[in-house]
Amino acid sequence: MTRAQVQPVARFIGRLQETGGLKGTDIANFAGVSKATVSRWASGRKSPHPRTQLIMSDLSYVVLRLSEYYGREEIRAWLYALHPQLDGERAIDLLHSGRAEEVIAIIDRLDADAYL
């Protein structure tokens, strides 16, 4: 595995932690792996499964979009909160199950000044 293959994953993890306020444990739980595995991904010693990379990229994108409106603590809370606009589900759970478009649609409403 080359360094170029790992860099996007390390960037995703960095963004999730720095911008989204997520901890290594949050990322590990989201990806269904140990915190040590997340550390290996961040350092480039290992690469996640392609499906895991996909859902992590979705989470990273959502965090980036939310950072336009919220600070890191608010982003973390937003991801874990139950949302009436998501039929009482948590955004983090929808992202994990591959339903990013539903979460992104809610963020798009922020862009249209329909604040949540």
Side-chain angles (χ1 to χ4, degrees):
M1 156 182 11
T2 67
R3 184 160 173 77
Q5 292 172 317
V6 178
Q7 285 179 338
V9 173
R11 279 194 305 263
F12 293 152
I13 292 170
R15 179 180 295 150
L16 295 174
Q17 292 176 324
E18 293 170 29
T19 306
L22 296 175
K23 299 167 181 55
T25 304
D26 295 320
I27 297 167
N29 289 339
F30 178 76
V33 299
S34 71
K35 189 175 172 184
T37 298
V38 172
S39 179
R40 285 190 290 276
W41 292 345
S43 70
R45 291 179 297 184
K46 190 169 179 163
S47 182
H49 185 276
R51 183 190 184 291
T52 303
Q53 288 181 32
L54 180 63
I55 61 172
M56 285 182 61
S57 72
D58 290 345
L59 178 58
S60 179
Y61 176 74
V62 165
V63 163
L64 181 65
R65 292 280 310 274
L66 288 171
S67 71
E68 297 173 20
Y69 304 98
Y70 303 119
R72 51 183 283 151
E73 304 303 324
E74 294 168 310
I75 291 171
R76 186 174 185 276
W78 193 95
L79 290 168
Y80 280 96
L82 298 174
H83 289 278
Q85 301 88 349
L86 296 172
D87 295 325
E89 295 188 69
R90 291 177 175 85
I92 196 104
D93 296 333
L94 293 178
L95 291 165
H96 179 71
S97 63
R99 295 167 56 193
E101 40 308 310
E102 294 172 56
V103 177
I104 293 167
I106 298 302
I107 298 169
D108 287 343
R109 291 183 196 163
L110 287 170
D111 291 338
D113 294 328
Y115 296 108
L116 306 176

